Structures are given as structure tokens and as C-alpha cells.
Amino acid sequence: MSTPNPRGRVLSGMRPTCRLHLGNYHGALRNWVRLQYEYECFFFVADWHMLTTGYEDTSRLPEFVHEVLIDWLAAGLNPGVATLFIQSHVPEHAELHLLLSMLTPLGWLERVPSYKDQQEQLKDRDLATYGFLGYPLLQAADILVYRAQHVPVGEDQVAHVELTRETARRFNHIYGRETDFEEKVERAIKGLGGRNTTLYRQLRRKFQEAGDQEALERGRALVHSNTRLTVADRDRLLGYLEGTGVTILPEPQVLLTQTPKVPGLDGRKMSKSYGNTIELREDPQSVERKLRAMKTDPARARRTDPGEPERCPVWDLHGIYSGEDTRKWVAEGCRSAGIGCLECKQPVIDKVLAEVTEMRRRAQEYTENPELLRDIVAEGAEKARDTARETMEEVRRAMHLRAD
Ligand code: TRP
Ligand code: SF4
């Protein structure tokens, strides 16, 4: 087994909506690319989640999954450092979802804001299904099955992570008590051996009696650094240190991504459903054509009319792609009618073209050698399953299912 990353584990997923666009990139992917070098990262394509809103025609699902994976690699996700996989290749997600469903009150799911919102928005589909109601619980299982500490998501997913935390708390509360906990933990403390046994007791006392946070951190580090501990004993020692029972499923935190606003070509938020996107691997001519036609401040009907950048979506693109000097040139030139809109767009066009060209270059290797992608997701699923299996053993044990 590899050593755990001291900064912890990150998990996130994305529904396979076919080809990704610049909104997906600047809103999420770019952040993942950075995180993969800082944390132990698991990223997966949430194909089961896709079924919750699109269960009737699944024929194009394999293609959608494929395109998203290629886009991830094109954007710079590195299968050498991050674990990339497909949700349905790891059945442990489904098993945990099932078990969690037994203890999740219906009201928790009905109250998640996205439940009613989505039903309103997708009126043409029948979303009065069991699976759709369970969407956030499946997401909770996705996260908890890896015992991830951090979940990088946007604002719209915060309620789902909150539900995940409540679910974990409820699970630990119900199943985190072992009848012979004290005995087992005592044995585990002795098992630490000599100085570490004494040190563990000292650190626990310092934290429990004086609330010494540093002692808690050192205690945790002591437990984590012991590679001979079984997972069950490690959990007992961590739980006892903090004065709780066994934490079988730790509560994850949202890693809120500060994302820039990515405008679509019509000025609304870039979104596939508005048909106003630029794809990550779009052909350069099309990129240029679209950007040249992109909406600007309507006040600038003629070249001589001054404009206001704050009312122009191109200005938001400058916020993403341009440095301070260029932005200053834009703001002044726009307000004084010193520059024309096409002139103003040119630096953005150049930057987007460079970005898209680089993505297309990275993708080429994978489109030309399909077996590469197959190997990446097979290896990813294997790695993911190793971790997920460990959690499920704990979960089953705690629930008295299969005592082996
Ligand atoms: N619901 C998320 C979205 O629509 C996708 C998702 C599924 C996810 N499972 C997850 C995100 C687990 C983070 C963690 O964007
Ligand atoms: Fe928008 Fe630039 Fe035209 Fe001003 S000059 S309206 S910022 S495109």
C-alpha cells in the first residue's frame, strides 16, 4: 500500500454530459488539475447519476462517458497521480447507497433544494422516481465509500455535501458503538508498543482534559504513522482519542472552488442547455467564429458609441484570460470608444485558441489509441475498489453483516 497523503483525500465526480465546455473547465476541472498535485485524488464519471434524470434512452451513455474522460485528460488530469474511474465500475458505491438508504429519513431527501428545483426545470421528464429522490444519497455514498476529507464542488452542490455529513453522523451514531469497545481499544493502545503507548495516553489526556488541539493533532499523526495497525484498530484509536465512539464514516468538508463567472456566447451563464458554449476541444476556426460573433454591450451599436465593460460578457472573459494591462486597455478603450469590440476581443480569442489547441494536442494521443483510455479506467477502478472495499468491510462489520 502506498503511504497516505498527509494533506488528505479529495473526491469529486462529474456527470457525463458528453463534451465539456469552457464553463466546466474554469468552473471545476482546472481546480481538479491543481488539486491532484496537492492531495490524494479520486475523480470519477458519475454515470449512475446520469440515469437518475435520463433512464429512458441510455444508448449514448458510453459515448458521453468516453468524451468526458478524454476531456479530463485533455484538461491535464494526470492518471499517474490521480485515480480516474467510472462510478458503475465500482459496485461498492451501490452497496453503500443501499445500506445508507435504510437509515435515511425521507424528509432529509425531500428537503434538498435541488430535488424540487430540478423537477421544476425538467418538467418534460418524469422525475417522480425513487432513484431521483435518492440522487443526493448516492452522492453521499460516493464520498463516504472513500472516506474522503475534501469534496471540491461548486455552490450548487453544497447541500449535497451537507446531507453527506448528516448521513455519516447518523451512521456513526447508530453503528459506531461496539459492545466491547473499551477492551478492544485498550488492546490496540498496548499494541502501539512501549513509548508510543505512553505517548498516546498522554496526548489523549492533554486533549480530553485541557482541550489541547496540538495534542489531538499529534495523537492523530501518531496513529496514522503506525502502518501495522488494522483499519479497525486505527478507527478505534482515533475515536477514543477524540472521545467519541468509532468513526466509521468520517464527515467530509466542502472544498469550495472560487470559480470565475464563465459567460456563454449569448451573455448568459455558459451551459450546454442554452447552446451557448465553446467546447474544450472545439475546432479553432469554430472558436474564432463564435467569439467574433459573441454578444457585447448593446450600447455599442456603432463603433463610435462608448460602452460599459460591466455590461459586457466579453469583459468577464477578460477577467479569466487577460492580465491587468490588457484589462486596463479594455476598460479605457471601451468607455472612450477608443477601441472597437473586435479589437477588444482579439486578446481573448488568442488566449482561448491557445488553450483549446493545447487541449486538442493532449487529447490526440488518447483518441488515436483507445486502449490507453481503457487501461486508465481499468486501473482507476481497481485502485478505487481497493479503498472502497476496505470501507465496506468496516461498514458490514459495524452493521453485523458478514462478520468475517
Ligand atoms: N452531483 C454532482 C454534480 O452534478 C456530481 C457528483 C456525483 C459528485 N457524485 C459526486 C460530486 C460526489 C462530488 C462528489 O456536479
Ligand atoms: Fe465589450 Fe470590449 Fe466591446 Fe466594451 S469594447 S463592449 S468590453 S467587447
Side-chain angles (χ1 to χ4, degrees):
M1 279 241 318
S2 52
T3 41
N5 182 317
R7 299 195 53 186
R9 183 175 292 158
V10 157
L11 173 123
S12 200
M14 208 181 266
R15 281 170 304 132
T17 49
C18 203
R19 295 203 172 197
L20 300 178
H21 52 71
L22 293 179
N24 302 126
Y25 177 64
H26 292 284
L29 258 188
R30 203 166 70 137
N31 192 42
W32 292 9
V33 172
R34 183 172 56 79
L35 290 171
Q36 69 183 341
Y37 297 110
E38 297 173 11
Y39 297 87
E40 181 194 6
C41 285
F42 289 83
F43 297 122
F44 69 96
V45 181
D47 54 350
W48 280 334
H49 275 105
M50 205 62 181
L51 298 180
T52 63
T53 52
Y55 51 86
E56 271 173 305
D57 182 5
T58 57
S59 56
R60 292 187 64 199
L61 199 53
E63 175 199 340
F64 288 8
V65 171
H66 180 84
E67 294 300 330
V68 166
L69 284 164
I70 303 257
D71 280 334
W72 284 7
L73 296 161
L77 281 185
N78 177 350
V81 293
T83 304
L84 311 180
F85 63 101
I86 299 168
Q87 184 184 34
S88 64
H89 292 189
V90 185
E92 284 76 8
H93 293 226
E95 188 187 356
L96 186 57
H97 177 219
L98 173 85
L99 295 178
L100 295 176
S101 78
M102 306 299 169
L103 54 126
T104 307
L106 270 181
W108 287 14
L109 296 171
E110 287 161 349
R111 271 197 298 275
V112 172
S114 58
Y115 181 56
K116 292 230 163 59
D117 289 359
Q118 287 272 71
Q119 282 189 330
E120 291 278 307
Q121 276 182 27
L122 305 172
K123 272 216 176 77
D124 52 322
R125 303 190 201 164
D126 178 14
L127 293 184
T129 58
Y130 178 48
F132 183 66
L133 178 67
Y135 184 112
L137 193 65
L138 178 56
Q139 185 163 349
D142 295 336
I143 299 167
L144 296 174
V145 86
Y146 299 100
R147 308 196 218 208
Q149 283 101 336
H150 309 283
V151 187
V153 285
E155 205 57 71
D156 62 321
Q157 297 291 313
V158 171
H160 294 172
V161 179
E162 197 43 54
L163 178 96
T164 306
R165 292 167 59 87
E166 285 175 62
T167 307
R169 232 176 282 145
R170 184 161 164 84
F171 186 94
N172 294 330
H173 178 72
I174 300 176
Y175 301 108
R177 282 164 222 286
E178 295 175 295
T179 38
D180 41 2
F181 179 62
E182 305 280 331
E183 251 166 62
K184 285 185 173 152
V185 89
E186 197 49 41
R187 215 176 308 138
I189 297 171
K190 293 221 177 79
L192 287 171
R195 275 187 39 219
N196 284 342
T197 298
T198 319
L199 183 59
Y200 177 90
R201 289 195 212 281
Q202 278 171 355
L203 292 169
R204 177 173 184 270
R205 203 173 320 117
K206 275 195 190 159
F207 173 66
Q208 300 263 317
E209 289 170 14
D212 184 337
Q213 283 298 324
E214 198 194 314
L216 174 64
E217 289 304 324
R218 286 180 57 203
R220 281 187 186 141
L222 175 76
V223 174
H224 281 298
S225 67
N226 191 322
T227 48
R228 283 168 304 134
L229 286 173
T230 62
V231 180
D233 273 346
R234 190 190 62 202
D235 290 344
R236 289 185 187 109
L237 289 169
L238 291 172
Y240 189 62
L241 187 68
E242 292 182 49
T244 56
V246 197
T247 302
I248 303 153
L249 300 175
E251 288 177 45
Q253 306 261 349
V254 171
L255 204 61
L256 209 52
T257 323
Q258 340 81 333
T259 49
K261 182 171 155 205
V262 187
L265 300 163
D266 58 1
R268 292 185 288 177
K269 181 182 171 205
M270 190 178 282
S271 161
K272 199 177 173 210
S273 54
Y274 294 148
N276 63 359
T277 63
I278 291 177
E279 288 170 359
L280 292 195
R281 288 178 280 138
E282 189 146 335
D283 112 64
Q285 279 173 356
S286 163
V287 170
E288 186 155 5
R289 192 165 14 84
K290 282 182 175 178
L291 284 173
R292 288 172 73 94
M294 182 169 174
K295 193 172 171 292
T296 63
D297 177 5
R300 297 208 69 185
R302 281 177 302 263
R303 165 71 178 77
T304 49
D305 297 330
E308 174 47 54
E310 298 296 338
R311 280 197 298 266
C312 176
V314 176
W315 178 242
D316 292 323
L317 290 184
H318 277 293
I320 297 171
Y321 291 101
S322 301
E324 213 166 306
D325 289 350
T326 306
R327 285 208 301 270
K328 200 159 162 250
W329 168 78
V330 169
E332 287 173 8
C334 179
R335 290 185 181 124
S336 65
I339 59 171
C341 286
L342 272 182
E343 214 177 320
C344 169
K345 287 173 174 178
Q346 197 55 50
V348 167
I349 293 175
D350 293 342
K351 283 282 171 54
V352 176
L353 281 178
E355 192 165 79
V356 167
T357 305
E358 174 64 11
M359 304 250 192
R360 289 165 65 89
R361 188 190 63 73
R362 282 210 210 96
Q364 198 176 3
E365 193 188 348
Y366 299 103
T367 46
E368 284 170 3
N369 307 289
E371 71 285 358
L372 283 181
L373 195 58
R374 271 201 299 279
D375 289 348
I376 290 169
V377 291
E379 203 182 303
E382 210 170 298
K383 273 204 254 167
R385 288 197 78 179
D386 283 344
T387 305
R389 245 188 239 122
E390 263 187 36
T391 308
M392 288 318 295
E393 272 167 31
E394 291 301 295
V395 165
R396 286 187 212 112
R397 200 170 51 81
M399 293 180 78
H400 306 287
L401 299 161
R402 284 198 233 167
D404 47 282

